[in-house]
Amino acid sequence: MKSRPGTRPRNPAVAPATIASSTAPAPAAAASLAERLCHATGAALVVSGLFHLTVFAVDGGPWYGPVSWRKPVTFGLSFGLTLMAITWVTSYLRVAPRLRTTLLAVFAADCVVEAGGITLQAWRRVPSHLNMETGFDSAVSMTLAVGGGVLVAVLTVFALVSFRHRPSGPAGMPLAVRSGFALLLVALLSGAAMIARGVYLTRTGHQSMAYHSTEPLKPLHGVSLHAVLVLPALAWLLSRTPWSEAVRRRIVGLAVGCYAAAVAAAGVSAVLTY
């Protein structure tokens, strides 16, 4: 086809690709958007936890037990902090941006489902986990159990990436990130053990025993869960000091050892009382 004088001929084979590349979001931009959304979601979950702490102060009632305001408080705070921590810490992993964005989106959605289901049941004044009393309660309980499986899968992928490729970051950060994920796997295993034992006891007709069967593992689960935030945060804070890299690495190594000892002590206690 002839072009008019003074105009540049169009190349139909190149033009569509050029248009597509100019309109498609870059992986880095998509990752940045996902990070902002994850941080906003995590902050909202933290606010929800603090709100329910106020509800507990006004409404009263027991703090412990399967039906209490403690659950939306602790799970809101825990899921919110963990979501923000994972979003930040995974920025040091050597992982494809598209894969990281996808995993973060799944993780954020799952955190909302988990915290939302627990909060819903707290307002209904019924247990959230291991509750098979009605069809609706069973659906909520099974959704939380499946959601727990999704959490395990996503976080395990991130952990494996951290072990396979040395994370980036300032002195001590690679050790902090890898150690944080290693201890997080302990939290995931203890959480899975709590769910498995509770479901077994529920299915065999020991509902009351199922609600209390998780108590021995809760300290182990709680302590090991937040290492992925505490240890990298320490490495980041140390990078703001004038100390040498060797000193910072030794401090992070000492912190990892102390944290691992605390997790081991919680594990021994769980074994002795389980």
Side-chain angles (χ1 to χ4, degrees):
M1 182 171 64
K2 295 182 179 180
S3 60
R4 289 180 297 176
T7 62
R8 184 178 181 180
R10 283 172 48 185
N11 186 341
V14 175
T18 304
I19 295 174
S21 63
S22 63
T23 58
S32 178
L33 175 61
E35 287 180 353
R36 291 196 297 270
L37 290 175
C38 286
H39 283 302
T41 303
L45 292 175
V46 170
V47 170
S48 175
L50 295 175
F51 168 75
H52 285 91
L53 183 60
T54 304
V55 172
F56 169 71
V58 174
D59 185 63
W63 179 251
Y64 296 101
V67 181
S68 69
W69 292 116
R70 170 188 57 84
K71 300 190 77 172
V73 172
T74 56
F75 278 88
L77 293 174
S78 183
F79 274 114
L81 290 174
T82 301
L83 174 56
M84 289 188 287
I86 293 298
T87 302
W88 170 58
V89 169
T90 55
S91 66
Y92 293 105
L93 298 184
R94 302 182 188 278
V95 59
R98 198 178 301 276
L99 174 59
R100 175 172 174 257
T101 298
T102 301
L103 292 176
L104 286 178
V106 172
F107 185 63
D110 203 16
C111 286
V112 171
V113 170
E114 292 286 305
I118 292 165
T119 302
L120 170 66
Q121 295 298 72
W123 281 97
R124 295 182 65 236
R125 304 300 177 98
V126 296
S128 56
H129 295 85
L130 311 175
N131 184 0
M132 308 295 178
E133 296 296 328
T134 68
F136 182 80
D137 292 331
S138 297
V140 173
S141 181
M142 292 308 298
T143 298
L144 295 178
V146 172
V150 174
L151 293 176
V152 171
V154 171
L155 294 175
T156 298
V157 171
F158 279 137
L160 292 176
V161 170
S162 73
F163 300 149
R164 183 176 182 182
H165 304 290
R166 179 181 173 84
S168 61
M173 184 63 77
L175 174 61
V177 170
R178 283 176 164 173
S179 301
F181 273 114
L183 294 173
L184 180 61
L185 292 179
V186 176
L188 297 179
L189 290 174
S190 60
M194 286 191 286
I195 293 174
R197 180 169 174 79
V199 169
Y200 169 77
L201 291 173
T202 299
R203 297 296 187 187
T204 54
H206 301 89
Q207 186 70 66
S208 179
M209 189 181 298
Y211 289 143
H212 296 91
S213 65
T214 61
E215 294 299 326
L217 288 173
K218 284 183 178 179
L220 173 62
H221 182 71
V223 172
S224 55
L225 180 65
H226 296 293
V228 75
L229 169 60
V230 173
L231 296 175
L234 173 63
W236 181 83
L237 289 173
L238 289 173
S239 70
R240 267 57 185 169
T241 67
W243 297 334
S244 67
E245 291 189 356
V247 171
R248 283 182 274 152
R249 288 194 185 94
R250 285 197 294 269
I251 294 176
V252 171
L254 179 62
V256 169
C258 291
Y259 209 112
V263 171
V268 171
S269 176
V271 170
L272 294 177
T273 58
Y274 196 57

